[in-house]
Amino acid sequence: MTLNECKMGRQYKITNINFCDEALKSRFIAFGVTRGTIIKVMHCTATKSTLCVCIDQSQIALREYEAKQIEVENIS
């Protein structure tokens, strides 16, 4: 499943990231969005166009198209 399909309040492990360009790849790496990282979906807008996720006590906002690039598996 991809991150934009996840439920709020649950933790997931990143299994794969499908990079569409180098700028997005650099942004993900800078924020700690890498394979094997534990990520928790905190909030989302009503239309799910933006997600707020928590990685290592840092909250990060991701656009829907960015969240679609991140494949995860449920761990909680």
Side-chain angles (χ1 to χ4, degrees), residues 14-51:
I14 298 174
T15 58
N16 191 33
I17 301 171
N18 304 308
F19 296 111
C20 55
D21 59 38
E22 286 299 314
L24 183 57
K25 180 179 179 179
S26 296
R27 183 170 183 253
F28 281 169
I29 291 170
F31 287 137
V33 180
T34 57
R35 192 175 296 138
T37 300
I38 305 301
I39 191 168
K40 182 176 183 179
V41 179
M42 303 298 291
H43 309 283
C44 67
T45 59
T47 59
K48 281 200 165 188
S49 61
T50 306
L51 297 174

Side-chain angles (χ1 to χ4, degrees), residues 55-72:
I55 298 176
D56 296 329
Q57 299 180 350
S58 296
Q59 289 190 7
I60 301 163
L62 297 173
R63 297 174 188 96
E64 181 183 25
Y65 79 91
E66 295 169 336
K68 286 181 179 179
Q69 305 302 316
I70 303 170
E71 296 177 19
V72 297

Side-chain angles (χ1 to χ4, degrees), residues 1-3 5-7 10-16 35-41 70-76:
M1 93 175 59
T2 58
L3 189 59
E5 300 169 328
C6 296
K7 295 184 179 183
R10 293 198 179 170
Q11 289 188 329
Y12 299 88
K13 181 178 179 181
I14 298 174
T15 58
N16 191 33
R35 192 175 296 138
T37 300
I38 305 301
I39 191 168
K40 182 176 183 179
V41 179
I70 303 170
E71 296 177 19
V72 297
E73 65 182 18
N74 191 6
I75 61 169
S76 67

